[in-house]
Amino acid sequence: MEIDSYRVLVVEDDDSQAFSTRHLPQLTRAKFEMERVPCLAEAVRKIRELQPHCLVLDLELADVSSLEGLLYLTRTFPDMPIVVLAAGNEAALEV
């Protein structure tokens, strides 16, 4: 089964960081449908609604911090590929 476009959910509460993810689809010939949500609670709702092919996740969100959000998502959606965005002190975390 061929996929027309990949659905990507960006979970990022910082406007400047979210802006940088908009350019990712230009790096490939594949087509992407990208949607952004600012918090984990909204991400969970959108995952169930949109059934994205993957997530781009910031580790520091308003409603969850550090690895808590990543752990919750991997337990709740074990087959979901997740790309983690790390900036500043987050890069020191061992994943």
Side-chain angles (χ1 to χ4, degrees), residues 7-19 21-22 33-52 54-64 69 73 77 80 83 85:
R7 291 180 305 280
V8 177
L9 182 62
V10 178
V11 187
E12 172 62 74
D13 59 350
D14 182 274
D15 289 338
S16 62
Q17 293 292 332
F19 179 78
T21 62
R22 292 184 347 160
E33 297 173 28
M34 297 181 75
E35 185 159 339
R36 174 187 168 205
V37 294
C39 64
L40 186 69
E42 198 169 334
V44 170
R45 184 179 62 78
K46 281 291 185 180
I47 291 168
R48 291 184 173 127
E49 177 187 324
L50 299 175
Q51 298 182 343
C54 76
L55 299 179
V56 176
L57 175 68
D58 179 19
L59 289 182
E60 292 296 325
L61 299 168
D63 60 344
V64 67
L73 289 169
F77 306 100
M80 176 69 59
V83 176
L85 293 178

